[in-house]
Amino acid sequence: QVQLVESGGGLVQAGGSLRLSCAASRSIFSINVMGWYRQAPGKQRELVATFTNGGRTNYADSVKGRFTISRDNAKNTVYLHMNSLKPEDTALYYCNAKLFMGSFTNDYWGQGTQVTVSS
């Protein structure tokens, strides 16, 4: 199992920056995929950015060039660096960890951290 604790959300003006953190309860090397998702009011949860334990990253088209996912292995922490924020980035951001168990995938979620971007 994995426990995930997010932090770093807040209120920021359009064009500003924020950094989200996600601390995992186990070595992130042991987690197959870690990433960030977000859910805006009235919308489905969507992928923002992920990386595999092999180091491959993936970004939603809407955040490419503005957001960067990174990790600190020693701290078992994943970060989401968000620049040039837009009002449409406003959402509850969730950290996610995926553990592959044969043909099954176990998903673990943090409690979420709110990001609000004012225009």
Side-chain angles (χ1 to χ4, degrees):
Q1 289 195 350
V2 186
Q3 283 77 48
L4 303 169
V5 178
E6 302 110 331
S7 60
L11 174 64
V12 64
Q13 287 188 333
S17 300
L18 281 175
R19 187 185 77 167
L20 306 184
S21 301
C22 173
S25 61
R26 59 191 280 176
S27 169
I28 57 178
F29 282 120
S30 69
I31 299 172
N32 297 101
V33 183
M34 286 199 71
W36 293 92
Y37 290 71
R38 67 186 181 187
Q39 187 167 17
K43 294 187 176 182
Q44 288 189 330
R45 192 173 298 187
E46 62 177 4
L47 179 149
V48 177
T50 62
F51 70 77
T52 69
N53 57 3
R56 284 191 300 172
T57 58
N58 181 47
Y59 294 91
D61 288 342
S62 60
V63 306
K64 282 181 181 176
R66 300 188 299 122
F67 291 11
T68 302
I69 189 169
S70 67
R71 61 187 178 185
D72 184 329
N73 298 328
K75 295 181 179 180
N76 294 329
T77 299
V78 174
Y79 302 99
L80 184 67
H81 307 265
M82 305 184 293
N83 298 316
S84 302
L85 282 160
K86 304 175 181 180
E88 50 264 42
D89 294 317
T90 295
L92 192 57
Y93 283 70
Y94 294 93
C95 182
N96 171 262
K98 297 185 186 298
L99 297 180
F100 300 155
M101 304 292 186
S103 61
F104 297 98
T105 298
N106 290 328
D107 273 294
Y108 300 91
W109 297 93
Q111 80 283 359
T113 185
Q114 179 68 38
V115 172
T116 303
V117 184
S118 63
S119 57

